[in-house]
């Protein structure tokens, strides 16, 4: 099997000199380069948007916080203490979703309203139960390991004349929260990954109120919307935040981004990170594929949002090709030189976002080593997204973990 060297690629592109038509392995090279260009153009389009933060005022009296938690005794105290700087304890509702530890006792000792399920009904069920008991017009949904730090609650953005929900600038571990674990190299990679996603949210989707996923770590919603639309949620944990956001968008809700940094715990070990992506995040994409397609063709959808849904479809379709290409480049001796070429292409395309994305509060860019490793990190994510379809099939049709949770045992009082 002959390799297609850069000189041959140049002759193919320019028509200068003799050139032999490419074989199947060479077509693979062109396909991967094309995918790299598509990914880069997407980033440039999104990062060239507005950079001004959205102005707002905060009125915490309008907000109740809802915290679903299962076995969260080790982290929930810090989250509640953080919230109590903004909200009275009576406006903090904790749902203990069948914990086997002291989650309920810890939350109750800090003055929060606590509800407990003896048997787990899932995160979505816990949220629906609590929202029905919220007395304020706005609800802040957040995980039991999310800290607001110095963030403000952007309540003035949600009005009948303006917007319906707000996404925050979510970042993984800050150093003072988890000691050295929060500052490991895996933490740097995730902070840059999150930061790039949040920068896109601020510059691109915020412009047309088309944020496509309010992170499950934290989001501010109109209470009546959560209550009215809860029946449309399947109750499945994987991608529950993506599903809630897509349901809002399918019902004509306008979602914006507030550049208020908040912090959530991210995996500090590679094994935990792999489990998060392969068993938590990426099966949710396949679970929501139908809603993604519906939103793509939905009437009165902003072009930016339609474009994002189209890119999601492209991602799920192109990931198997990219994964096959990675494996082929690494295993076929004649193509191994192209593994380096593709890496350098993605590295070159990563220079612009690395230069643009700054860590909130510091103004610093990610460490230089993060830039050099990120193309490899991205390739690993592509492979995990590809194999996650097997995870989804298993959990949906074999184990039943991802079957819609709407049966009698899932009902809440």
């Amino acid at each position: 099997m002959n390799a297609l060297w850069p000189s041959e690629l140049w002759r193919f592109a320019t028509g200068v000199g003799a050139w032999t038509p490419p074989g199947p392995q060479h077509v693979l090279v062109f396909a991967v380069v094309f995918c790299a260009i598509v990914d880069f153009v997407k980033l440039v389009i999104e990062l060239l948007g507005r950079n001004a933060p959205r102005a707002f005022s905060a009125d915490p009296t309008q907000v109740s916080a809802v915290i679903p938690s299962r076995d969260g005794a080790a982290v929930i105290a810090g989250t509640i203490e953080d919230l109590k700087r903004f909200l009275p304890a009576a406006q903090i509702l904790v749902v203990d979703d069948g914990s086997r530890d002291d989650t309920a006792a810890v939350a109750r000792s800090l003055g929060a309203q606590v509800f407990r399920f003896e048997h787990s009904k899932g995160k979505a069920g816990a949220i629906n139960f609590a929202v029905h008991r919220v007395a304020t017009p706005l609800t802040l949904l957040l995980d039991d390991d999310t800290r607001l730090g110095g963030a403000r609650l952007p309540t003035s953005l949600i009005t009948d004349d303006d917007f319906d929900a707000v996404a925050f600038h979510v970042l993984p571990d800050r150093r003072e929260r988890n000691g050295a674990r929060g500052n490991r190299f895996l933490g740097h990679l995730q902070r840059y990954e999150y930061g790039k996603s949040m920068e896109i949210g601020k510059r691109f989707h915020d412009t047309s109120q088309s944020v496509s996923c309010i992170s499950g770590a934290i989001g501010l919603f109109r209470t009546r919307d959560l209550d009215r639309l809860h029946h449309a949620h399947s109750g499945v944990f994987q991608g529950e935040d993506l599903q809630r956001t897509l349901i809002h968008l399918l019902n004509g809700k306008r979602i914006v981004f507030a550049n208020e940094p908040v912090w959530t715990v991210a995996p500090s070990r590679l094994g935990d990170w792999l489990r998060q992506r392969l068993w938590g995040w990426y099966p949710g994409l396949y679970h929501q594929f139908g809603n993604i397609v519906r939103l793509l063709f939905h009437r009165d959808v902003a072009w930016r949002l339609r474009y994002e849904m189209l890119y999601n479809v492209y991602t799920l379709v192109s990931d198997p090709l990219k994964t096959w290409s990675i494996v082929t480049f690494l295993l076929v001796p004649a193509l191994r030189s192209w593994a380096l070429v593709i890496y350098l292409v993605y590295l070159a395309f990563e220079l612009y976002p690395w230069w643009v994305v700054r860590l909130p509060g510091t103004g610093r860019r990610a460490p230089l080593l993060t830039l050099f490793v990120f193309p490899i990190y991205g390739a690993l994510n592509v492979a995990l997204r590809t194999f996650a379809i097997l995870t989804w099939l298993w959990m949906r049709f074999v184990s039943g973990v991802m079957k819609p949770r709407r049966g009698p045992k899932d009902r809440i009082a």
Side-chain angles (χ1 to χ4, degrees), residues 383-405:
L384 290 174
R385 275 198 305 269
T386 300
F387 293 122
I389 191 170
L390 302 178
T391 310
W392 174 73
L393 289 169
W394 174 266
M395 292 194 290
R396 177 63 180 85
F397 299 105
V398 181
S399 71
V401 170
M402 290 186 68
K403 288 180 66 175
R405 304 187 67 166

Side-chain angles (χ1 to χ4, degrees), residues 40-52:
F40 175 65
V41 170
K42 176 180 183 291
L43 273 174
V44 171
I45 290 173
E46 294 175 341
L47 290 175
L48 284 176
R50 64 185 282 276
N51 192 30

Side-chain angles (χ1 to χ4, degrees), residues 199-210:
E199 195 70 25
I200 288 169
K202 177 179 71 175
R203 293 173 179 243
F204 188 76
H205 297 296
D206 184 50
T207 305
S208 56
Q209 304 94 56
S210 60

Side-chain angles (χ1 to χ4, degrees), residues 3 36 68-69 85 133 156 179 225 260 331 374 399 405:
S69 182
R85 297 187 293 109
R133 289 152 177 80
S156 68
D225 290 340
E260 294 295 301
L331 295 183
F374 200 78
S399 71
R405 304 187 67 166

Side-chain angles (χ1 to χ4, degrees), residues 75-241:
V75 293
I76 198 169
T79 298
I80 294 175
E81 291 286 9
D82 219 30
L83 271 172
K84 286 167 67 175
R85 297 187 293 109
F86 302 88
L87 305 174
Q91 288 172 225
I92 302 174
L93 287 70
V94 174
V95 180
D96 181 344
D97 185 34
S99 295
R100 295 158 295 182
D101 62 10
D102 296 328
T103 296
V106 171
R108 196 173 285 116
S109 71
L110 294 169
Q113 293 189 57
V114 178
F115 306 91
R116 174 172 166 77
F117 298 155
E118 289 302 322
H119 303 286
S120 172
K121 297 183 184 297
K123 182 179 179 181
I127 289 172
N128 294 339
F129 179 91
V131 166
H132 190 62
R133 289 152 177 80
V134 169
T136 55
L138 303 180
T139 297
L140 184 73
L141 300 183
L142 70 163
D143 285 345
D144 56 12
D145 60 2
T146 299
R147 306 279 185 89
L148 270 68
R152 298 168 297 156
L153 302 180
T155 56
S156 68
L157 294 179
I158 301 182
T159 69
D160 290 336
D161 296 325
D162 289 317
F163 313 118
D164 303 290
V166 183
F168 288 72
H169 192 134
V170 179
L171 289 168
D173 303 325
R174 56 183 174 185
R175 188 181 307 178
E176 60 267 30
R177 287 196 53 192
N178 288 294
R181 288 190 306 160
N183 207 36
R184 290 175 177 171
F185 185 64
L186 182 59
H188 287 302
L189 286 168
Q190 291 175 93
R191 272 193 291 276
Y192 175 64
E193 176 188 29
Y194 277 57
K196 188 161 68 169
S197 176
M198 295 300 117
E199 195 70 25
I200 288 169
K202 177 179 71 175
R203 293 173 179 243
F204 188 76
H205 297 296
D206 184 50
T207 305
S208 56
Q209 304 94 56
S210 60
V211 175
S212 57
C213 183
I214 300 177
S215 170
I218 187 168
L220 186 65
F221 297 83
R222 186 181 286 108
T223 303
R224 70 170 184 263
D225 290 340
L226 289 174
D227 203 23
R228 184 173 68 85
L229 298 173
H230 80 274
H231 67 281
H233 201 290
S234 67
V236 171
F237 171 74
Q238 288 79 4
E240 60 87 23
D241 51 353

Side-chain angles (χ1 to χ4, degrees), residues 9-83:
L9 185 64
W10 169 255
R11 286 196 295 271
F12 168 70
T14 61
V16 176
W19 175 75
T20 303
Q25 72 275 19
H26 303 147
V27 172
L28 194 62
V29 171
F30 293 124
V32 174
V33 171
F34 171 78
C35 290
I37 293 172
V38 169
D39 294 338
F40 175 65
V41 170
K42 176 180 183 291
L43 273 174
V44 171
I45 290 173
E46 294 175 341
L47 290 175
L48 284 176
R50 64 185 282 276
N51 192 30
R54 190 173 287 280
F56 61 83
S57 59
D59 181 5
T61 65
Q62 301 292 302
V63 180
S64 293
V66 168
I67 308 174
S69 182
R70 187 164 189 260
D71 297 333
V75 293
I76 198 169
T79 298
I80 294 175
E81 291 286 9
D82 219 30
L83 271 172

